[in-house]
Amino acid sequence: MFKKILIANRGEIACRVIETARRLGVSTVAVFSDADRNARHVEMADEAVYIGGSPVAESYLKGDRLIEAALATGAEAVHPGYGFLSENPEFVEAVEAAGLTFIGPSASAIRAMGLKDAAKALMQKADVPVVPGYHGEAQEVVVLAGKANEIGFPVLIKARAGGGGKGMRLVENPKDFGEALSAAKREGKASFGDGRVLVEKFIASPRHIEIQVFGDGFGNVVHLFERDCSLQRRHQKVIEEAPAPGMTEEMRQAMGEAAVKAAKAIGYSGAGTVEFIVDGTEGLRPDRFYFMEMNTRLQVEHPVTEMITGLDLVEWQLRVASGEPLPMEQDALSINGWAFESRVYAEDAQKGFLPATGTLTHLQFPEDLARIDSGVRQGDTITPFYDPMIAKLVVHGPDRATALSRMETALQQTEAVGTTTNIAFLAALCAHKEFVEGGVDTGLIDRELERLNTEGPVPDRIVALAAIASLNPEPAQNCADPFESFGLWSHWIAPKRVVHLVHGEEEHELAVSRVDARRWHISAYQDGENEIAPIELELISNDGGVMRYDFDGTISSVRHLHSSDSVTIIGSGRTYEFLLPDVSVGEEDAGVAEDRLLAPMPGVVKQINAKAGQAVEQGEPLIIMEAMKMELTLSAPRKGIVADVTVQEGDQVADGDLLLDLEPTDE
Ligand code: ADP
Ligand code: ADP
Ligand code: MG
């Protein structure tokens, strides 16, 4: 086994690798950029080396710096994590040329699977079923459109170097082919430096089922069963599970054998995943799965496999890379129970999953219910530089129903304040009938998006609790006596106070009164639209920022957090922020936003379709932005003349930055 390794990554996966290394007595070296100087992975490692600026191109993608850091600290091997340089064969060669071990497959194996078109051709030769499609050299629009017609619509255009759902376009109608092709090429070029594409049949009612494989340096390959990653949005995984619902022994064996065949065909060593697309129109059938791609690295969702096999895949990676044979043979491997993983992200599910940023002023996980893989702590900031993942919540149970309800509870008990998160969306997904029944396919989220995102109005009792909490500017911490713990409140028996709360579009003016030592009465100060009905609550305690209360005979609790101008209530997987408006300040000029195009998220300006003096129609696409993993078109807010374009193509912009001004109208 190695004595010391360097982890060429950041965030949760760096932390994950460090944990196993430490358990095995292997010393760890972390690397960090400017933005990550105080990051969790840096704190966890035995040593850490600064490698450059915050943008990934200046740090985590600088292979030579990473290798220098490994040599300088005396590390013997490099663990690449996922993303970044994990699937870069030149990096593997450079690591090896420096006399270090790459914890992963050989450069040639990565190269064989690196481009989707070549990989498919290779798999076809190795007798692994692939999706019907065109994987050839020709790239002209007429040729590709012709191939699409032969294959039959709908088709999928994929950047051959693509990954993470990027550079992919579904085309349902021949007339949309040209535009989709340009978009896929543009995304492929921008993200992977390769604008070449392939075209393949779009499988109807598809399920994404992948097989975890493991090889060693002695030609042995085993598979560790399947994961179902069908719950996706924009081709990105959202919740993964293992095993796959409805899986039969026959199908599992066929898929396992195909995956092992694929790995053996390229002399695979280390952890890898063979992804298949499954045509689920007639249930799971051994003749209805097709090779999609192989990810030659540890996958984000590897923990669900660890939960059902009881194994540590990072330990296997370290053992195999240090020259040991695979720890177990195929026959010794078995599945125990069921596991789910939810990817908790700083993103706005309500606004097309726009990535979000912010400082996590409060962060708490239900560690008793779920395994938490996270790269951030309370107080850390989600920056625009990296993947906005907050944590992976992983649960296990004896059966699917138990594991899934555990997942839902774990999400409801996860508290993250300071940025928008997808927690409520994930919790709604866990309760969704089709998912609960195991009826998953890759279109489920898109079809059900509206329902999954319907948060409904804020419950009256939450508004009431916020009103009470707002009267307690400095809640006493951890006070044993519930009355004492109300601090100011215990002396306050004034009959009535008026509280103003603003939640999104809703404004509340509430009368709050205390009936007796525990009971509170909250009602609308004046009758208005969407004002709450009168409500009475009994406060049982208020310890450590958590209010326990009795409402209509049911006892529950919520957390309340305070800032100078807001109070936040967290309960049942939802976070409600109420602003406490300074009523003396006048309303802002509501017309201003109409004249401007602001960046809705941090990102890069990709394309500008307008210039000063140009007349535009309302809804006309003016600027295309790109952030983390998506492209976004910003349209004219109204008809008018462009006064000024304040950015250039290629500019990095922050959330709220001005991009374009329209000339004011006379009205
Ligand atoms: P898939 O490639 O099939 O989507 P995963 O869901 O495991 O597989 O990984 C998500 C994608 O995003 C991968 O292509 C991975 O390389 C990329 N990725 C994930 N996290 C990061 C990160 N922190 N930095 C860069 N790329 C990342
Ligand atoms: P990436 O490298 O971005 O992960 P993949 O080729 O693995 O790209 O595809 C990602 C997702 O896109 C799949 O999980 C699936 O949901 C969808 N997909 C890919 N190929 C097809 C296809 N031929 N038919 C239907 N859906 C597909
Ligand atoms: Mg994939």
Side-chain angles (χ1 to χ4, degrees), residues 574-604:
R574 286 182 62 181
T575 300
Y576 309 89
E577 188 185 33
F578 295 89
L579 300 177
L580 307 172
D582 184 346
V583 278
S584 60
V585 178
E587 298 255 305
E588 269 196 48
D589 182 356
V592 169
E594 282 277 276
D595 291 336
R596 298 173 165 179
L597 219 48
L598 304 178
M601 60 184 172
V604 174

Side-chain angles (χ1 to χ4, degrees), residues 202-208 230 277-281 440-444:
F202 181 75
I203 305 291
S205 187
R207 284 177 63 174
H208 174 121
S230 299
I277 187 104
V278 176
D279 174 350
T281 42
V440 290
D441 70 84
T442 61
L444 189 147

